[in-house]
Amino acid sequence: MRRTLSILVSLLLVVSGFAFAGGSQEAGESAAQEAAESGPMVIGLSVSTLNNPFFVTLRDGAQETADGLGVELVVVDSQDDPAREASNIQDLIQQGVDALLINPTDSDAVVPSVQRANQAGIPVFTVDRGANGGEVVAHIASDNVAGGEMAANYLIDAIGGSGKVVELQGIPGTSAARDRGEGFNNVVNDTSGVEIVAAQTANFNRTEGLNVFQNILQAEPEIDGVFAHNDEMILGALQAAEAAGRADQIVFVGFDAVDDAVAAVEDGRLAATVAQQPSEIGSLGVSTAVTYLEGQDVDSYIPVPLSLVTQ
Amino acid sequence: MQYSLKMQGIHKHFPGVHALDDVSFDVEAGSVHALVGENGAGKSTLMKLISGSLVPDEGSIEVFGEAVRFRSPAEAQHHGISMIHQELTVVPERSVASNIFLGREPRALGGLFIDYRALNTQAKALLDRLDVRVDPTVPISELSIAQQQMVEVAKALSYNARVIIMDEPTSSLTERETATLFRIIRDLRADGITVIYISHRLEEIFEISDRVTVLRDGRTIRTDATADLDEDTIVSSMVGRTIDTIFPKREVEIGETILHVDGLSGNGFRDVSFSLRKGEILGISGLVGAGRSEMVRGLMGIDPVDGGSIDLFGQPVTTPRVAGMMRRGFAFVPEDRKEEALFLGMSVRDNLVVSLLSRLFRSGLIQYGRLGEVTAQYIDKLRIQTPSQGQLIRNLSGGNQQKVIIARCLALKPSVLILDEPTRGIDVGAKAEIHTIIGDLAAQGVGIIMISSELPEILGVSDRIVVMKEGRVAAQLDRTEATQDLIMQKAATGGGS
Amino acid sequence: MTTTFDLGALFRRFGLLIAIAVLVFGLALLSPQFLAVQNVLNLLLQATVNAIIAAGMTLVILTAGIDLSVGSVLALTAVITADVLQAGVPVVLAVVIGLGAGAVTGLVNGLLITLGRIPPFIATLGMMTLARGLALSYAQGRPITGLPDRFLLVGTSSMLGIPTPIWITAVVYGAGMFVLRRTVLGRYIYAIGNSSRAARFTGIPVRSATVAVYVISGALAALAGMILTARLNSAQPIMGLQYELNAIAAVVVGGAALSGGEGGLGGTFLGALLMAIIANAINILNISPFVAQVLQGSVILAALLLHGLSRRNQ
Amino acid sequence: MIPTVRRIVVRYSTFLILAALMLLFSLVSSRFLQVNNLLNIVDQSALLAIVAIGVTYTIISGGIDLSVGSVVALVGAVSAGLIVRAGLPVPVGILLGLVFGALLGLVNGLFVVYGRLQPFVATLAMMAIARGLTLLYTQGRPISGMGEAYTFFGSRLGPIPVSILVLLVVVLVSGTVLRRTPFGAYVYAVGGNEETTRLAGVAVSRVKLGAYAFSGLMAAVGGIILTARLWSAQPQAATGLELQAIAATVLGGASLMGGAGTILGTVAGALIMGVLANGLNLAGVSSYLQQVITGGIFILAVLLDMWTKRQKV
């Protein structure tokens, strides 16, 4: 008897663990509840990953705008896993959100989720990355391929039109790595005199950026420029080059314009980084959705301008 | 006379060892044939040849007149030979029936599925035949060791065995369980089944066997009808010399009380009280499962106790923990050598000093010189046979392994030494040596608590005997009043206290 | 018993070393850069983080345990360290706090395993998720950057031309070998790995020794995290993903048995070195990233098969 | 009476935890217990459950399989590639994918049985190799456009997700094999006591090979389901799934020492993880905190399980 009782107590402990977790997240909970009732507008935001500062900033931008407009924002995190994304979006639909902002992990893999939302009659907006199918009311993004091209053009100019460059790639198989790489390679391959001497993956990761570029520096006595698919990797590469004393011979171009990278540009260590304005993307996503839900027309493509952050 | 087994001129070499040297071994059909010999005499090798695990280098084997050459246990089984290993070979989580028919389950639906109903019925029939009351559908791990042993016999029968080899089947059985096993063996014999019986316990041999073969150093020394032999003859054939008495009891002056246990209770034992005096050997007897091992584990602080008191030299010991008990002067030789005492992948030296380390090197830093000295001292003192201190302990014989464990305890210079089945599975020579060591220790004033399931050993060695039954003390007997019958009576039927 | 020259024994003892030598020789032929002093230093530098984590993992695996939480613990302690550094805590104190945080997570692991009696695989698997979540919550998913220069020296300075992290690794391995060979705790670790039941019966403080190895493992993960943080001038909550598997791979390639009681730090270091050599070679030779993982997996398999083969011939 | 209650608690602790969690979430969110949401949960957990069932086989046999996540991705890519690039009919592509998955599992088994590698490291190496092969095969790009016959497996039949039907079939088949056939009995026996099983004349090597091949096959089924659900094969799909599958198996009561475990337990374990993810989403808990809670609940659940089991003695 005593033991059975203890088991029940343990279960109660688990339960109270939840109560705590639930309690600390009242905002989200009430959002779900109120969605059921028809209080203020509720918008679901599915983010590809909150393990990356870029998307954290995107989320913050969206949250800020939502707060300003008096809209509840329910955020789910796919952790770069398309299967989890599909589940998360299913859950948002289940919560009865009024509109879905999706930042897909992959443009193909998100299609069934978009269609499911369509069937449920929930308008879908994609941010940063598009969907290759389903009905999307509007796509709010800046173009990764264009960004890669922009970076390439800047880099080629900066090294004087010819030379040896290195490409640090993102996680193989992710769309950001594909698109940015495609843009970069489109330009470089069309430019005679510029040679990609090494193209290695550093998995969007600063540590690997450091290690991988250290090795490339070793292998290649002559490097004029580096382009990395994100800022994390270029900052790692920058550190490797500075340690090796070759930073001043190389032009570094990153992507995303995260705070660290912008600071590095201001310090003159980093030549440039492609700014996508994630906060603006998130903010525009929410305001576009609200505008649409209020019955007004919105454009089907809302470009967020890319800019190159340079000194 | 029909022979179920005839072996002639068997030789078997292993690298560096002539394990079997011109062995001949005949077993009459429908008899119980005992095989005895010290550890390393070649019994296991011989049995492996018969049961198909090994192939002889030379010599012939005939089974019921048919010349055979087994290349696998399956072939031997096919010829009606089954072996029950000393260490039980069961799949713990599976049911009794599944264990019996493992690999030969009755099939249903064209062989695709196991017919569990038939499986259980057939198992039930086998167990009934042995008069073993066990539910064939329960996991075998829920059975007692003795019951598992009976299941092993049932398994052997399920192969339609005509020859069943039993290797030390009673080593973990109580007297009463042994009696049940003997009844089954007699029934088997009555059904015309041959039993080859390996044991270190001579009294069992006289009780159950028709003929005895003695092996020594890989040779057959003699094969005779049991009725024509006596204990001394067998022992001297085994060891190649005469041993006056197996249990040399030395008269020791018994001093003051050093340990007093009062009302000790824990998982598996209740309200156990006894005292131990300086130089005294306290035997603890009882059936397996009577709570003897549990009690000493509680006393040593290995398992938790939930009541009672322990007084050592008049000082109460609260919430015992192993390391603390060892510091206070306790030392312990556990029951299951392989699982509870040995570090098989470590050296003789590391095994010997392991309990001593924290005492020898208070700073936590090891000085190898010191370690070597201590080790050498005890290797010498206990005449442990090992090529070097660095030898892996798994390469030593059982008797020498046990001596290392006893040395580990002696190195602690204990005032109380607890030994749980110290001579189980150890050959006669080593056994006598261990008894001598125990006697010497008592003479030096160490209080000794010894658990043993072997009644002659308990009777021969102890000054006083505590008999346990169902977790409680059933009787305390003085050596002058104790007899096998009395102990058995107390252990089996209780009798108050 | 023969005293003749035994090639098999030589190979058993130095197999991994020989394999590495052959690999290095081959790589040196393929690229003259490979054996340049600077590259060798780079390679060692890149091996340090994995090697330090693997050192702790070796102790854990010797007790027949496993620690899957090291990658997450590395991230958690890194963000904590970086945060207190930014708050102006002196460098030495911050390092102590970071190492302490790692030790605390190790302590929790150890207690779950000893008192909670959860198998190590499961306990540390739970801790892996939990610590990662804590790291992300703590840093709110963002890197913490802008650390004091004095702290960065941990990762960026050199002594006698050799980068500091390599010195730190050498100290860790020296201390680890000393613990394993010359201390009572070392004997206990091997004994527990051999048979934890026998260890309990012989009065070895099994629980505290087990807790100790997980504490060491947690603290070493924290140390590795600091080296990374200092090299990058940034602590990120997603650092150390899958580092646990790299460390385990280094330990088993180094010849330790996951069943415990067998292996040592020398082997682990060679294992970590081998893995760093492969990663380095992939960059130096500009091998396609798509092939990289296939290559790494195959080399691990080959090393283990070789190891098993040489042992079986015993 | 009480012993019976305790026995039930011990035996069905996984299901009790599942029930407790569901009760809890139904209090937190009114939408949780809606039929559609419950169907969603099973749909979301099907992949994990199916893959974990395969892993359960290897764990019962005393091994482990860390390669399943990579095999899911590789089989998804290869089956999609055979259909899209090589133009094979959908059923052929799926069938070949399944065969391929089983073969990958078999290779694991070969390394374990004949290479005598520890299962943990053999399958760890396979995890890296299969992921690498996926990247090589896809050249890092997703493969899509398999057509409706393929994506059927990710769609719904009326309100019922097809993945649930696949899961049902898998549970039925794998449960029957494990509980009713000689192979299933030997998987348990090998994990319980390998030497005894060998001595009983059972072809232990074949049983182990079978267990790993089955695990590969289940990962392949998972790969098809996932690819169908996403309408595309992703080169980085199912990373980290292996640890989740092991977690589900352990939650389901299997012992990492081998010899114990059930299919229904594993499915319940997978559902616990699915319920947690879904419930925490509905409760609006941040993703960072979700990880903290998931890790904590996992440890608590295992503690509870260990503890109730210990009370039996």
Side-chain angles (χ1 to χ4, degrees):
Chain A
M1 191 58 211
R2 204 183 86 211
R3 279 154 187 166
T4 323
L5 201 72
S6 331
I7 290 164
L8 289 176
V9 170
S10 305
L11 279 174
L12 211 71
L13 271 175
V14 178
V15 167
S16 50
F18 271 107
F20 164 74
S24 66
Q25 292 294 322
E26 265 165 38
E29 188 185 323
S30 63
Q33 229 90 63
E34 282 165 28
E37 294 145 20
S38 73
M41 224 177 258
V42 178
I43 296 176
L45 170 62
S46 168
V47 186
S48 60
T49 173
L50 288 176
N51 291 355
N52 180 333
F54 179 85
F55 295 106
V56 177
T57 308
L58 188 153
R59 195 254 337 249
D60 290 349
Q63 188 71 54
E64 213 169 290
T65 307
D67 291 346
L69 294 172
V71 176
E72 294 277 8
L73 190 70
V74 183
V75 185
V76 293
D77 174 8
S78 309
Q79 290 167 11
D80 268 335
D81 175 359
R84 198 175 158 92
E85 174 176 80
S87 300
N88 281 340
I89 293 173
Q90 224 171 23
D91 291 345
L92 287 175
I93 295 170
Q94 173 68 17
Q95 275 171 282
V97 294
D98 298 308
L100 264 175
L101 288 184
I102 304 179
N103 158 230
T105 55
D106 182 90
S107 302
D108 286 311
V110 79
V111 176
S113 294
V114 174
Q115 292 202 337
R116 201 164 290 142
N118 294 154
Q119 279 163 16
I122 299 172
V124 175
F125 304 80
T126 49
V127 290
D128 184 53
R129 211 173 274 147
N132 286 348
E135 285 170 39
V136 176
V137 177
H139 178 54
I140 301 105
S142 39
D143 186 346
N144 267 319
V145 179
E149 289 169 353
M150 185 185 265
N153 285 322
Y154 175 86
L155 186 64
I156 290 167
D157 272 357
I159 62 174
S162 70
K164 296 183 171 177
V165 298
V166 171
E167 181 188 7
L168 288 179
Q169 302 169 340
I171 295 173
T174 54
S175 70
R178 285 199 304 272
D179 294 346
R180 294 171 186 182
E182 187 183 325
F184 181 77
N185 279 282
N186 283 347
V187 173
V188 171
N189 292 341
D190 288 349
T191 311
S192 59
V194 180
E195 183 197 356
I196 299 182
V197 290
Q200 289 282 299
T201 181
N203 290 320
F204 284 140
N205 178 308
R206 203 183 288 196
T207 317
E208 289 193 44
L210 170 56
N211 284 342
V212 169
F213 196 63
Q214 199 169 46
N215 294 335
I216 294 173
L217 280 172
Q218 192 59 41
E220 303 295 335
E222 194 192 325
I223 298 172
D224 300 305
V226 200
F227 168 63
H229 290 180
N230 78 347
D231 282 339
E232 292 296 326
M233 295 191 288
I234 204 72
L235 289 169
L238 188 57
Q239 233 132 8
E242 282 169 353
R246 284 169 65 180
D248 50 351
Q249 304 153 21
I250 302 171
V251 177
F252 294 87
V253 178
F255 208 113
D256 284 348
V258 300
D259 296 349
D260 284 1
V262 174
V265 171
E266 280 165 11
D267 293 348
R269 296 160 66 219
L270 189 63
T273 173
V274 180
Q276 279 193 307
Q277 309 186 55
S279 179
E280 185 68 13
I281 297 175
S283 170
L284 269 175
V286 171
S287 56
T288 307
V290 171
T291 308
Y292 177 81
L293 287 174
E294 282 168 347
Q296 300 174 37
D297 284 342
V298 294
D299 289 342
S300 64
Y301 178 54
I302 301 170
V304 177
L306 286 162
S307 64
L308 204 60
V309 180
T310 54
Q311 202 171 19
Chain B
M1 177 52 65
Q2 200 205 346
Y3 287 93
S4 49
L5 189 67
K6 247 178 156 11
M7 301 176 87
Q8 288 286 326
I10 301 286
H11 287 266
K12 182 70 190 174
H13 296 262
F14 294 116
V17 187
H18 198 170
L20 292 178
D21 183 2
D22 193 25
V23 166
S24 296
F25 184 51
D26 301 332
V27 180
E28 291 172 7
S31 72
V32 176
H33 194 117
L35 182 64
V36 297
E38 290 194 279
N39 287 347
K43 293 178 308 222
S44 310
T45 309
L46 186 62
M47 290 307 110
K48 281 180 182 162
L49 296 180
I50 299 173
S51 62
S53 300
L54 288 175
V55 180
D57 297 338
E58 280 175 56
S60 66
I61 305 179
E62 283 180 23
V63 174
F64 293 102
E66 181 190 351
V68 294
R69 196 178 169 77
F70 301 137
R71 272 155 310 203
S72 72
E75 275 185 44
Q77 276 162 357
H78 188 71
H79 280 83
I81 296 175
S82 279
M83 174 139 182
I84 299 173
H85 295 268
Q86 182 183 0
E87 276 146 28
L88 289 180
T89 52
V90 299
V91 186
E93 308 276 348
R94 302 297 284 166
S95 75
V96 169
S98 297
N99 265 286
I100 292 176
F101 289 103
L102 180 58
R104 302 163 295 127
E105 298 83 353
R107 305 290 172 91
L109 295 179
L112 225 52
F113 295 97
I114 292 178
D115 185 346
Y116 276 98
R117 189 173 299 173
L119 179 77
N120 290 329
T121 319
Q122 291 177 21
K124 186 88 178 59
L126 272 172
L127 293 167
D128 283 348
R129 180 176 159 196
L130 295 174
D131 208 12
V132 178
R133 312 241 169 270
V134 163
D135 179 356
T137 61
V138 303
I140 198 161
S141 56
E142 290 183 11
L143 270 51
S144 71
I145 299 287
Q147 286 173 319
Q148 294 185 21
Q149 194 101 46
M150 306 304 167
V151 172
E152 292 272 333
V153 176
K155 185 174 174 180
L157 285 179
S158 75
Y159 282 101
N160 291 320
R162 292 181 293 175
V163 179
I164 298 179
I165 305 164
M166 297 187 186
D167 188 3
E168 295 260 12
T170 58
S171 61
S172 44
L173 298 194
T174 60
E175 300 276 336
R176 188 203 270 176
E177 290 163 344
T178 304
T180 312
L181 180 69
F182 284 181
R183 177 183 56 73
I184 289 171
I185 291 176
R186 291 195 187 96
D187 289 351
L188 294 174
R189 179 171 56 187
D191 289 350
I193 291 170
T194 311
V195 174
I196 299 175
Y197 189 91
I198 302 171
S199 180
H200 283 120
R201 299 184 179 176
L202 297 184
E203 73 278 7
E204 290 180 355
I205 298 210
F206 286 103
E207 186 179 345
I208 194 73
S209 71
D210 302 308
R211 294 209 304 156
V212 180
T213 294
V214 180
L215 280 185
R216 186 175 79 222
D217 300 334
R219 294 197 182 84
T220 342
I221 301 302
R222 66 194 311 154
T223 297
D224 289 297
T226 314
D228 301 341
L229 293 168
D230 60 31
E231 218 168 279
D232 288 345
T233 322
I234 294 183
V235 169
S236 54
S237 307
M238 277 163 67
V239 299
R241 61 184 190 274
T242 49
I243 290 182
D244 300 335
T245 161
I246 307 174
F247 307 109
K249 177 65 191 162
R250 287 189 17 189
E251 289 309 323
V252 169
E253 193 172 329
I254 291 176
E256 77 276 19
T257 300
I258 49 179
L259 172 71
H260 192 78
V261 174
D262 192 30
L264 197 67
S265 299
N267 196 1
F269 58 100
R270 279 283 133 224
D271 201 20
V272 173
S273 304
F274 61 85
S275 59
L276 179 71
R277 286 177 292 170
K278 217 174 162 188
E280 184 181 37
I281 301 179
L282 180 70
I284 298 188
S285 187
L287 308 176
V288 168
R292 300 170 303 174
S293 299
E294 289 81 353
M295 191 272 290
V296 293
R297 284 209 301 268
L299 182 58
M300 275 306 291
I302 292 165
D303 292 346
V305 292
D306 48 44
S309 65
I310 302 167
D311 275 28
L312 185 66
F313 297 116
Q315 298 285 320
V317 178
T318 49
T319 55
R321 298 274 300 274
V322 195
M325 293 306 278
M326 287 182 174
R327 264 197 306 278
R328 289 188 173 93
F330 279 73
F332 179 47
V333 176
E335 176 185 18
D336 186 338
R337 192 162 58 232
K338 214 163 164 190
E339 294 289 324
E340 298 172 348
L342 291 174
F343 302 102
L344 287 169
M346 297 175 78
S347 66
V348 168
R349 183 189 62 208
D350 285 344
N351 270 280
L352 200 153
V353 298
V354 67
S355 294
L356 195 64
L357 285 173
S358 59
R359 190 179 303 181
L360 213 50
F361 309 109
R362 289 185 192 279
S363 63
L365 303 183
I366 291 173
Q367 296 156 273
Y368 277 96
R370 223 25 230 296
L371 269 194
E373 283 167 32
V374 174
T375 310
Q377 181 191 338
Y378 283 96
I379 285 179
D380 188 47
K381 195 168 176 179
L382 298 191
R383 293 201 297 280
I384 295 167
Q385 275 151 31
T386 173
S388 72
Q389 294 189 5
Q391 178 73 12
L392 288 186
I393 198 153
R394 69 157 60 98
N395 296 334
L396 263 54
S397 72
N400 278 304
Q401 288 177 349
Q402 187 73 329
K403 283 199 221 165
V404 171
I405 294 161
I406 293 175
R408 175 194 292 168
C409 291
L410 297 191
L412 292 170
K413 307 232 183 322
S415 17
V416 177
L417 176 62
I418 303 172
L419 304 118
D420 192 351
E421 302 281 7
T423 61
R424 174 184 294 169
I426 286 175
D427 63 53
V428 176
K431 196 168 176 173
E433 281 189 76
I434 286 174
H435 287 143
T436 311
I437 294 166
I438 293 173
D440 288 349
L441 280 173
Q444 290 158 25
V446 178
I448 288 168
I449 298 173
M450 185 184 81
I451 296 176
S452 173
S453 292
E454 230 180 296
L455 288 177
E457 178 175 72
I458 278 275
L459 284 165
V461 175
S462 322
D463 297 303
R464 216 150 40 85
I465 296 162
V466 168
V467 184
M468 286 185 70
K469 175 178 181 280
E470 290 168 3
R472 292 169 188 276
V473 174
Q476 297 216 24
L477 305 170
D478 200 72
R479 74 179 301 214
T480 50
E481 58 174 325
T483 62
Q484 290 209 22
D485 287 348
L486 187 59
I487 292 177
M488 267 329 287
Q489 188 207 332
K490 297 288 186 192
T493 63
S497 163
Chain C
M1 279 294 132
T2 53
T3 51
T4 53
F5 183 69
D6 186 349
L7 200 68
L10 187 78
F11 204 71
R12 270 195 301 285
R13 203 168 157 76
F14 301 108
L16 191 53
L17 206 57
I18 295 170
I20 288 177
V22 170
L23 186 66
V24 166
F25 183 72
L27 287 172
L29 289 182
L30 282 173
S31 162
Q33 291 301 328
F34 187 75
L35 272 186
V37 174
Q38 188 55 45
N39 192 52
V40 172
L41 285 180
N42 286 349
L43 205 154
L44 286 171
L45 186 61
Q46 290 159 14
T48 53
V49 169
N50 188 25
I52 289 174
I53 297 173
M57 188 70 79
T58 306
L59 301 191
V60 170
I61 286 178
L62 279 175
T63 66
I66 202 158
D67 188 351
L68 297 179
S69 70
V70 284
S72 300
V73 168
L74 181 148
L76 177 60
T77 54
V79 295
I80 290 175
T81 311
D83 192 50
V84 296
L85 278 169
Q86 280 198 334
V89 169
V91 171
V92 175
L93 187 60
V95 168
V96 170
I97 290 173
L99 293 176
V104 167
T105 54
L107 182 70
V108 174
N109 280 333
L111 292 178
L112 284 172
I113 291 159
T114 53
L115 295 183
R117 294 197 235 174
I118 303 182
F121 189 97
I122 310 297
T124 58
L125 178 60
M127 178 57 81
M128 169 181 166
T129 312
L130 203 149
R132 178 69 60 193
L134 286 176
L136 284 163
S137 303
Y138 191 92
Q140 281 304 304
R142 296 167 186 283
I144 299 175
T145 45
L147 303 172
D149 288 345
R150 276 194 59 208
F151 177 76
L152 301 185
L153 291 179
V154 173
T156 51
S157 61
S158 290
M159 287 191 314
L160 307 173
I162 294 174
T164 309
I166 297 177
W167 287 110
I168 295 176
T169 310
V171 170
V172 165
Y173 273 79
M177 285 177 180
F178 183 80
V179 166
L180 281 184
R181 291 192 189 155
R182 298 301 299 259
T183 70
V184 172
L185 178 64
R187 294 293 91 182
Y188 288 170
I189 288 172
Y190 277 102
I192 292 169
N194 253 274
S195 166
S196 73
R197 190 169 165 82
R200 195 159 66 89
F201 274 65
T202 42
I204 289 176
V206 176
R207 282 182 179 165
S208 39
T210 306
V211 170
V213 295
Y214 286 92
V215 167
I216 292 172
S217 175
L220 286 180
L223 179 63
M226 283 177 208
I227 290 177
L228 260 189
T229 308
R231 283 184 72 200
L232 298 171
N233 187 10
S234 136
Q236 292 148 318
I238 54 151
M239 287 201 298
L241 279 173
Q242 302 229 325
Y243 279 20
E244 60 283 345
L245 296 181
N246 288 338
I248 294 167
V251 176
V252 293
V253 166
L258 288 177
S259 48
E262 193 188 331
L265 283 171
T268 298
F269 182 76
L270 291 180
L273 192 63
L274 178 65
M275 294 180 62
I277 289 175
I278 298 162
N280 179 275
I282 285 168
N283 293 151
I284 295 267
L285 303 175
N286 199 19
I287 294 168
S288 156
F290 296 150
V291 188
Q293 292 202 43
V294 180
L295 209 65
Q296 280 162 342
S298 309
V299 169
I300 293 176
L301 269 184
L304 293 171
L305 285 174
L306 212 66
H307 200 78
L309 271 181
S310 64
R311 192 177 304 184
R312 217 173 309 161
N313 290 336
Q314 211 163 355
Chain D
M1 194 58 204
I2 295 297
T4 329
V5 172
R6 199 186 309 151
R7 196 171 266 257
I8 288 171
V9 170
V10 169
R11 185 142 178 206
Y12 299 106
S13 61
T14 314
F15 300 92
L16 291 177
I17 291 169
L18 180 60
L21 283 177
M22 292 181 70
L23 184 74
L24 182 74
F25 282 125
S26 68
L27 297 177
V28 172
S29 167
S30 56
R31 290 175 175 259
F32 181 79
L33 273 188
Q34 289 178 359
V35 174
N36 196 41
N37 192 50
L38 296 179
L39 285 175
N40 280 351
I41 292 174
V42 185
D43 184 25
Q44 293 163 12
S45 315
L47 167 71
L48 176 59
I50 290 169
V51 172
I53 284 172
V55 172
T56 303
Y57 267 65
T58 61
I59 286 183
I60 292 176
S61 80
I64 203 161
D65 190 350
L66 293 179
S67 70
V68 285
S70 299
V71 172
V72 164
L74 182 51
V75 167
V78 168
S79 69
L82 287 174
I83 293 159
V84 176
R85 293 191 195 159
L88 292 180
V90 170
V92 178
I94 289 178
L95 205 68
L96 288 178
L98 295 179
V99 170
F100 185 50
L103 280 177
L104 288 169
L106 192 68
V107 172
N108 277 331
L110 289 172
F111 277 118
V112 170
V113 173
Y114 296 106
R116 295 200 218 169
L117 295 186
Q118 292 163 327
F120 188 97
V121 286
T123 58
L124 179 65
M126 177 58 92
M127 170 181 165
I129 292 172
R131 181 67 64 184
L133 289 175
T134 314
L135 287 171
L136 269 178
Y137 184 75
T138 60
Q139 284 300 305
R141 287 160 205 283
I143 303 174
S144 56
M146 289 79 66
E148 273 183 31
Y150 195 108
T151 54
F152 165 77
F153 291 100
S155 66
R156 292 187 176 222
L157 271 179
I160 311 283
V162 175
S163 63
I164 298 183
L165 302 177
V166 176
L167 175 62
L168 277 178
V169 172
V170 164
V171 167
L172 215 64
V173 171
S174 59
T176 309
V177 167
L178 204 51
R179 288 172 54 98
R180 294 275 147 213
T181 67
F183 170 69
Y186 300 156
V187 170
Y188 278 107
V190 168
N193 188 336
E194 184 173 338
E195 195 47 38
T196 296
T197 312
R198 195 189 311 277
L199 283 177
V202 173
V204 168
S205 305
R206 252 185 282 166
V207 173
K208 284 188 170 178
L209 290 177
Y212 285 95
F214 186 79
S215 181
L217 177 66
M218 287 300 107
V221 173
I224 307 281
I225 298 258
L226 179 63
T227 308
R229 188 166 182 230
L230 302 175
W231 295 11
S232 69
Q234 297 285 329
Q236 288 292 349
T239 36
L241 188 69
E242 56 284 339
L243 291 180
Q244 284 187 50
I246 294 167
T249 306
V250 169
L251 279 178
S255 157
L256 289 181
M257 308 293 293
T262 61
I263 297 301
L264 284 181
T266 295
V267 172
L271 284 176
I272 287 178
M273 306 188 64
V275 163
L276 263 177
N278 173 279
L280 291 171
N281 268 348
L282 291 194
V285 175
S286 90
S287 76
Y288 303 154
L289 210 53
Q290 283 197 18
Q291 292 191 49
V292 177
I293 293 174
T294 308
I297 294 277
F298 176 67
I299 290 175
L300 270 181
V302 178
L303 264 179
L304 195 73
D305 185 49
M306 292 284 147
W307 190 71
T308 49
K309 269 184 190 141
R310 226 175 296 146
Q311 300 304 314
K312 190 171 62 169
V313 191

